Amino acid sequence: MKRAVTPGTFDPITYGHLDVITRASQLMDEVIVAVAASSGKSPLFTLEERAELARQATRHLPNVRVEPFEGLLVDFARQQEAQVLVKGLRAITDFEYEFQMAALNYQLATELETIFIMSPPQYMYLSSSIVRELASLGSSVDPFVPPHVARALESKFANR
Ligand code: COA
C-alpha cells in the first residue's frame, strides 16, 4: 500500500492544488491531504474551515482524505504511516525553497521520499494569496477555485 501525504496551508484550496492532488491520487493507493495549521502565516480561513473546503473539493476522489495537522510534517507523515510526500512545483522560483524543504525533511526522516509534480501552464502562476487578493478586491475567482471556495471567500470578505 503506497500512501502519500500532500501537505500545504490550503488558504484556500485552488485548482492548482487540486491538480496535484488528483494526479497524486492516480499514482498512489491513498493520498492524505495534510492541512497545516501554519499559524505563523495568519491564515484567512481557520484550520477547520480550510480542511472542510479541501474535503468538499476532493470528495469525488475515493482514495483521498483530508486531515488537519499541527507540528512537524515528518511526524504527521510517520503517524499516518505514509512513505511519500508529494509537492507541486510551479515556476522555477519554487525550486530553491522546495529543494530546501525536501532536504530538511530527508534529514529528519530518511524513509520518507519527496516527489514533485509539475504544475500545468495554466496553474503555473496561481497561488492562494493571489486568489485571496482578487476576492478581497471583489474580482471573480471562478477560474481558479471550485464554486464552494469562491462562495466561502465571498462571505469571508463580506463579513470584514
Ligand atoms: N498550485 C497552486 N498554488 C500552489 C501550489 C499549486 N500546485 N503549490 C503551492 N501553492 C501555493 C500556495 O497556494 C501558497 O500560496 P501563498 O503563499 O501565496 O498563499 C504557496 O504556494 C505556499 O504554499 P503552502 O501551502 O503554504 O506550502 P509551503 O510549500 O509553504 O509548505 C507546509 C507548507 C505545510 C508543507 C510546510 O510549512 C510544513 O511542512 N509545515 C509543517 C512544519 C514543518 O514540518 N516544518 C519543517 C519543514 S522542512
Side-chain angles (χ1 to χ4, degrees):
M1 160 79 102
K2 279 275 175 256
R3 184 177 291 141
V5 166
T6 60
T9 307
F10 302 106
D11 186 35
I13 191 163
T14 67
Y15 283 138
H17 297 129
L18 271 175
D19 172 73
V20 173
I21 295 164
T22 304
R23 287 156 68 191
S25 76
Q26 289 157 0
L27 295 171
M28 302 287 162
D29 296 310
E30 192 183 7
V31 172
I32 301 167
V33 178
V35 182
S38 298
S39 20
K41 281 191 155 189
S42 305
L44 174 68
F45 291 98
T46 66
L47 180 56
E48 213 20 78
E49 285 170 338
R50 285 180 279 131
E52 192 46 42
L53 292 173
R55 257 178 222 121
Q56 285 182 42
T58 55
R59 66 158 57 125
H60 61 291
L61 299 169
N63 61 338
V64 173
R65 68 184 154 93
V66 176
E67 301 285 350
F69 82 100
E70 290 185 60
L72 274 181
L73 176 61
V74 294
D75 289 343
F76 175 79
R78 276 187 179 138
Q79 182 201 319
Q80 298 292 327
E81 298 179 2
Q83 303 91 344
V84 180
L85 295 176
V86 176
K87 300 232 51 192
L89 206 51
R90 294 165 299 168
I92 193 81
T93 43
D94 274 352
F95 182 78
E96 186 83 31
Y97 175 66
E98 292 295 346
F99 189 72
Q100 182 187 21
M101 278 211 289
L104 261 166
N105 284 329
Y106 180 75
Q107 192 135 359
L108 294 169
T110 45
E111 76 280 9
L112 261 180
E113 198 61 66
T114 301
I115 67 169
F116 293 98
I117 291 184
M118 295 286 293
S119 286
Q122 68 268 34
Y123 301 135
M124 231 21 145
Y125 296 98
L126 180 56
S127 75
S128 297
S129 54
I130 295 242
V131 165
R132 291 194 302 273
E133 182 170 347
L134 287 173
S136 75
L137 298 171
S139 166
S140 164
V141 289
D142 294 349
F144 311 119
V145 296
H148 71 283
V149 176
R151 283 195 298 276
L153 281 161
E154 206 175 298
S155 66
K156 199 53 119 176
F157 286 112
N159 292 331
R160 292 203 143 198

